[in-house]
Amino acid sequence: MSWQTYVDDHLMCDVEGHRLTAAAIIGHDGNVWAQSSNFPKYKPDEIAGIMKDFDEPGTLAPTGLHLGGTKYMVIQGEQGAVIRGKKGAGGITVKKTGQALIFGIYDEPLTPGQCNMIVERLGDYLIDQGL
């Protein structure tokens, strides 16, 4: 299965009539493996900052998580595994696997819990596959 299929079929899937606003699978090195058409154009230092927070949890909390120039307030996550951010009625979930970062961006009416479920389920599957 191609990486784009994971984004199209698993991340941008329909959940109770709603779906993520944008999604992507990005390697730890910052290279895009696959993304939705409307995933924001990000800077390499934004991915580096996210990777640093996985290695040193709490580093993003004072400044926020930035992606594509959008700032998200960092909320509870799972140290070294998941970072969650909030901005207005939407937010972001980032799940780290052995080789990649899984991104899900949402807006209402999709809930934070639904976004977490979509992103983390795919991330857990990829971890189980050694990826």
Side-chain angles (χ1 to χ4, degrees):
M1 189 178 325
S2 80
W3 290 113
Q4 193 61 49
T5 303
Y6 283 109
V7 170
D8 295 342
D9 295 350
H10 298 281
L11 292 176
M12 297 302 290
C13 63
D14 196 65
V15 177
E16 297 175 21
H18 312 295
R19 60 184 58 218
L20 293 173
T21 306
I25 302 172
I26 298 175
H28 288 182
D29 59 3
N31 288 320
V32 174
W33 293 8
Q35 65 184 21
S36 62
S37 59
N38 55 348
F39 192 78
K41 181 95 175 103
Y42 60 88
K43 298 183 180 110
D45 60 326
E46 293 173 328
I47 301 299
I50 292 167
M51 285 299 296
K52 182 176 181 184
D53 194 80
F54 279 118
D55 295 335
E56 301 170 33
T59 57
L60 285 179
T63 60
L65 183 158
H66 292 80
L67 186 71
T70 300
K71 179 181 177 180
Y72 298 90
M73 178 178 68
V74 176
I75 55 177
Q76 110 293 348
E78 297 168 31
Q79 286 194 353
V82 179
I83 299 171
R84 298 183 183 107
K86 187 91 175 113
K87 179 175 175 54
I92 188 168
T93 301
V94 185
K95 169 81 175 182
K96 182 182 180 194
T97 72
Q99 299 177 24
L101 300 174
I102 314 299
F103 287 83
I105 299 172
Y106 70 94
D107 276 304
E108 286 183 339
L110 198 76
T111 67
Q114 289 170 319
C115 179
N116 296 341
M117 179 193 69
I118 293 166
V119 172
E120 293 175 37
R121 185 172 48 196
L122 178 59
D124 290 341
Y125 170 79
L126 294 176
I127 289 168
D128 288 345
Q129 301 303 307
L131 300 166

